[in-house]
């Protein structure tokens, strides 16, 4: 029996096309499946750097490439999937208990993250082997 969790999914956000410039928006609990408690962004990432090798016990996130491009690798302990983020109207929904890291940042890329919880270091799982045990239900 497998207790494999679903990996994340791409959510296509509303896009208001306009010759003056396009517009996209997100509302708490509307286009995305959680209430937004926090927003942060990652920028000025030097070429070749990785970010975010960890999982969360409870926090859920939506990751958006507001500018430029990068890859998000998601891992549920059984399988991994790479999402190439390069459009500001696509959000990658990352459920809780999914190991994730970000790589291949283009120069001047801007990674926006909406989170369901305020920052709490105790919610992080930073040890991959601990994550694997939890994800596979090994105690
Ligand atoms: P972290 O989530 O570990 O980033 P990454 O996984 O991409 O390396 O955060 C890096 C540091 O920033 C961490 O020591 C704590 C701090 N931080 C906050 O204070 N608040 C936040 O909302 C976030 C995301 C990080």
């Amino acid at each position: 029996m497998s207790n494999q969790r679903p990996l994340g999914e791409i959510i296509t956000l509303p896009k208001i096309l306009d010759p003056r410039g396009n517009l996209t928006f997100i509302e708490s609990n509307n286009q995305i499946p959680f209430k937004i408690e926090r927003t942060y962004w990652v920028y000025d990432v030097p070429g070749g750097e990785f970010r975010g090798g960890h999982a969360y016990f409870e926090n859920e996130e939506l990751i958006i490439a507001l500018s430029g491009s990068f890859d998000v690798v998601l891992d549920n302990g059984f399988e991994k999937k790479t999402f190439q983020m390069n459009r500001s109207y696509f959000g990658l929904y990352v459920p809780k208990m999914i190991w994730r890291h970000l790589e291949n940042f283009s120069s001047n890329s801007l990674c926006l993250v909406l989170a369901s919880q305020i920052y709490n270091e105790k919610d992080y799982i930073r040890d991959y082997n601990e994550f694997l045990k939890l994800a596979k239900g090994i105690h």
Side-chain angles (χ1 to χ4, degrees):
M1 195 182 76
S2 161
N3 50 1
Q4 194 165 336
R5 289 171 177 276
L7 284 166
E9 57 169 324
I10 294 287
I11 296 176
T12 302
L13 300 166
K15 191 167 36 156
I16 313 293
L17 297 176
D18 191 312
R20 298 172 301 157
N22 301 332
L23 183 150
T24 287
F25 59 89
I26 298 171
E27 293 159 333
S28 222
N29 272 328
N30 195 348
Q31 293 80 17
I32 59 173
F34 58 84
K35 181 170 178 286
I36 301 162
E37 290 288 350
R38 175 169 55 115
T39 304
Y40 62 93
W41 48 100
V42 178
Y43 52 97
D44 290 347
V45 179
E49 276 296 347
F50 289 66
R51 294 289 318 213
H54 53 70
Y56 301 107
F57 286 107
E58 293 297 333
N59 188 47
E60 300 164 61
E61 291 187 329
L62 189 86
I63 302 177
I64 303 168
L66 271 193
S67 179
S69 63
F70 51 82
D71 295 340
V72 185
V73 183
L74 300 185
D75 175 349
N76 61 9
F78 295 85
E79 58 171 338
K80 294 181 189 184
K81 190 168 175 186
T82 300
F83 295 84
Q84 294 171 328
M85 306 302 295
N86 55 16
R87 291 286 180 270
S88 61
Y89 51 84
F90 286 143
L92 176 61
Y93 171 61
V94 185
K96 61 185 173 180
M97 283 300 292
I98 297 288
W99 188 271
R100 59 135 169 104
H101 79 260
L102 289 75
E103 62 184 20
N104 288 333
F105 286 87
S106 68
S107 53
N108 290 322
S109 55
L110 174 56
C111 170
L112 177 73
V113 184
L114 309 181
S116 69
Q117 304 211 333
I118 60 167
Y119 174 73
N120 174 11
E121 183 58 37
K122 291 195 175 75
D123 193 45
Y124 280 69
I125 306 165
R126 293 192 183 273
D127 180 321
Y128 186 65
N129 289 325
E130 184 194 346
F131 166 73
L132 279 183
K133 284 185 193 164
L134 291 165
K136 292 177 186 288
I138 303 165
H139 301 290

